Amino acid sequence: MGAEVIPARVKIGQRRRFPLEAMQAYLFVLPAVVIIGIFKVFPAIAAFYMSLFKWDVIQGAFRGFGNYTDWLYDNSLRSPDFWRSLSTTFTYVILTVPLEIAFSLVIAYLLFQKIRGRGIYRTAYYLPYVTSFVAAAVVFNWLFHPQYGLVNALLGVVGIGPQRWLDEPSGFFQIVASAFGIALPEWAAGPSMALVVVSIVTVWHYLGYQVVIFLAGLSNISNEYYEAARLDGASERQIFTKITLPLLSPTTFFVFTIATIGALRSFDTVFILTGGGPLDTTRTVTLLIFKTALQQAQFGLGAALAFILTLIILLFTLVQFRVLGRRVYYG
Amino acid sequence: MRLTAAIVTTLMLVTAACSTAAPAPQQSTEADISLSGPVSLTLWHALSGPQQVALDAMVKKFNDTNGKGITVTALNQGNYTQLYQKTLGAIQAGALPDLAHAYESFVADYMKADVVVDLGPYKDSAKNGLTKQSQDDIYKGYYDTNTFPQYGNKLLSWPFTKSLAVMYVNDDILKEIGKPTPKTWDEFEATAAAVVKKDASGKVIRNGFALNTDASYFNAQVYSRGGSLMAADNKTVAWNGKEGLAVLQMYDRGIKGGWAYSPAGFDYQNDMAAGKLAFFLSSTSTVPFMKDLADKTPNFHWSIANLPQSDPTKAKTVQFGANVAVFKSTPEKQLASWLFIKWFTETDQSAQFASTSYYMPVRASAADSQVLKDYWAKVPQGKQGFDLIKVSSPEPNVRGQQDIRDVILNAITSVATGKATPDAAIKTAGDKSNQILASAQ
Amino acid sequence: MATVARTFPRSTPRPRLRIRGRTIALHAFLIVVALAVAYPFYFMVTSSFKDLLEATKNPPDVFPAQLHPENYIEAWNRAPWGRYFVNTIFVSIAVTIGELVTASLAGYAFARMRFPAKSVLFIVFLATLMVPSEATIIPNYVLMSPSRNGCLGLPCLGWFDTYQVQIVPFIATAFSIFLMRQFFLSIPSELSDAARMDGAGHLRFLWSVALPLSVPALITAGLVTFLGSWNAFLWPLIVTTKPDFRPVQVGLSAFRQEAGSSYHLLMAASTFVIAPIVLLFLVAQRYLVQGIARTGIRG
């Protein structure tokens, strides 16, 4: 890696200079090695160590993988919480990632046309991303306020009754169906209204970021393809589906991967908007880790859960690369 | 008659002597030593704003006047959750403060690491403790809540910032509809329903009751309906019986009947001040916030009263609020810590702190203090709360109680949002809580 | 990913939409979406100038009937905001500078120097990107706690309630190192040859040739780091409790509890917390947009 940069003729003096250069190189990487070693690598090893013990306030008996099996199946108080939070986490991924990609792809494509005011639009779309989630949550908590919220006021105009939004544990499909007088069974209730609102806010927050990445991807597609297509008399729609989409697939795949990992790992968004409620319907795995470790003082169980999540993210990323990565068209 | 009295008295004295004399000879305990030199102590707490100012003033007075060279430094550690998290971290590192503000559930967790000092010997120490009369001046509930059945009935913390669950009443609305403050739950429901006012479109613009999802107010209602919270052996919960069911059923009727709603955040305070709400349940520590709103709102009158009761002659409510625990260190530091909290809860200091912090006094005799009388003259709601201490009881302090509170919150939310019937909710919650208790043993 | 890592040429001619009607429809769509995205900001700023009564009016007025700039003064006076801002600015700048230094040095070494175990080290660095912070937050928390008995076999740092607890762990990230390495790799080797002929060492070459050529990369990495540091929430929440060291985001979160239902004050506080970073973004927008396109960092 990087060795090819050094021209061949330098190699004559290499043997004499090598120790000096290596010493110097170590000095160059030393600050990074120390910081990453102490604050990233060491804590990861320590967390794994903790996860092997009963660590209830203080270090207790060695449990092997007991904390892991507690979460997976062994403990009737823990494992239902785990599976439920895992399903909430995946629901959150399904609610946010496709929407983010669809919206940002369309907007990026439109912005890529030669139109006036592109900079202004881009700024508007990008603003949410630089806004801290704490501040965004203050505003959204209020827009979706059950009594004073603007969203309920707007719905009132079109004759829809007020909703509880972030305080609503009932399923989204259930609520929509009941508006038409249909009672849905519990298994078809869908994600809680609260989780849907959290997802909307998440999409809002990351939209501009995805737009920018798609714009970069679009600008990497050589203009010759478009010109050739136009000479052949292709329509705008054909150009989009036959040229833009396939050539953009590496970018789409990249956005898909990082958005998915981001959603699987997200904490701030949910924690600040709902804290996991109502009725634990927005409690994702990361929130469960937080509760277990830092509110119940079960450090061993918390660390084990964190490693289960790491493993899930890793597996997910690998599968994504294997299954989807192959279909990506690299031109 | 006189003979019987004499026998009973003798018996009581003998049992008392046995129970105190039995464990260890008094002179050899750490509680009876004297300080040999200056001691500095650190107190971690979660008070902020005016209450932190009140505490700092008390601490300064203690440092200036204790005459034994004890210096206390009080440090705010964020809110209660953050204080708890930091204390857990300090346990890992073996770097605890000398004293910490703590709820009962915190103390139960800290005891897993066996780091909390038993205050019983200090309280009873002939040399440094409290006289019998002085001990009896402190409300019994405050001893109960700090005595932990799962840790050998030791006294592991001391009352510090106490308050009560009470009902806040919008006096103007009751006056307008010509009804008194309800004394029973039946009267309460009738009054709350009569309060409701709707606009032309049928939207409710004045509501009866803002229901609170916090477990403490559920517990207070269980008490007020004559129920209890824990079985006698502390192994199962007792609120899942008919009293707890009645609480959830009333919430259900309130939501469905349109006279109750579940407010977001602290909206109920604004709503009451704006004349849109007749009743809510909250802590006596909400008084300063309501007073602040009332000062800004012309012609708004409010009061606090005990919760409605099933049997008003046996009225009951919940007392809660945090305590202070002493961590194991050196005998001298532990003694100095005890001397500080002993001083803090003497009559004068208790009255002084109650008048500046809005918390409840720890002693009955504080009521005779001029400081408190002056304060009550300005804020009559303070006295209205104080009068309820004698009918208040603490909540359970068993391990797992913190998780049980979440279970209760979920039960209330599921009823308030129509996700479960009261019967189903109380059954699920009771079963889950018993499971938590079993696993926390 | 390699495709994305390239910068996009600003001069690329774009496919042109021919029909005027479609252009109008296009703008209409973009404006509607932009309004929906930007509305919360408008709402926040206008609400911050209303009194409580008007702020809780439903439906809300588009514009305050009367401006109440005193909300800002009241919100500002109810919490030690000045302190919070000083803390955040100091921490963000320190983290940014620290990270640029470590990333430049390490990135350069990985790009242009030879040393044993280089590939292994680089892979370990990249692997740290895969471990979620939730896994390491507990040991990190313990590591920072006050020292007496030692923490997990290491001496505890005792850094609760300090600046360094918010700075030091973040002054080196694999991502910035990776980014800088990519830039240094793209510097033509003729330049380094020439420098070597002149007898310049690596440090001299880095300082006087490589870094000046990498100013865009430095600005990009710096802005992204600054943004992340400015908006950091969970870590400072856990490891600080005194206002003396707390950053604005944690202060705003605490203010939400304290202000309760005083929504107009909450909106004023949110506005002044967001304002500096929005202004910074508007000024430096071009670099940040390029930076994201180049690295794909999701904060």
Side-chain angles (χ1 to χ4, degrees), chain B residues 76-114:
Chain B
N76 171 282
Q77 303 294 320
N79 65 27
Y80 285 100
T81 314
Q82 291 153 6
L83 167 69
Y84 168 70
Q85 287 164 0
K86 289 205 69 171
T87 311
L88 288 174
I91 289 174
Q92 307 294 320
L96 284 162
D98 303 291
L99 304 108
H101 195 189
Y103 281 110
E104 293 85 346
S105 61
F106 298 1
V107 173
D109 276 348
Y110 302 159
M111 270 308 280
K112 291 178 189 166
D114 198 21

Side-chain angles (χ1 to χ4, degrees), chain A residues 110-132:
Chain A
L110 295 179
L111 280 185
F112 195 65
Q113 318 293 328
K114 217 171 196 168
I115 53 164
R116 277 165 200 272
R118 288 181 341 122
I120 297 171
Y121 289 126
R122 201 176 56 196
T123 306
Y125 296 137
Y126 197 70
L127 266 185
Y129 183 65
V130 296
T131 306
S132 77

Side-chain angles (χ1 to χ4, degrees), chain B residues 75-78 82 85-86 89-90 92-96 264 266-267 270 289 296, chain C residues 52 141-142 145-150 156 160-161 237 241-242 246 257 260-261 263:
Chain B
L75 294 174
N76 171 282
Q77 303 294 320
Q82 291 153 6
Q85 287 164 0
K86 289 205 69 171
Q92 307 294 320
L96 284 162
F266 301 105
D267 284 347
N270 283 344
F289 296 96
K296 285 184 197 156
Chain C
L52 177 62
Y141 171 78
V142 174
S145 62
S147 169
R148 238 178 245 172
N149 303 346
C156 302
F160 283 160
D161 281 322
L237 170 77
T241 53
K242 293 182 193 159
R246 292 202 135 170
Q257 310 266 318
S261 45
Y263 291 107

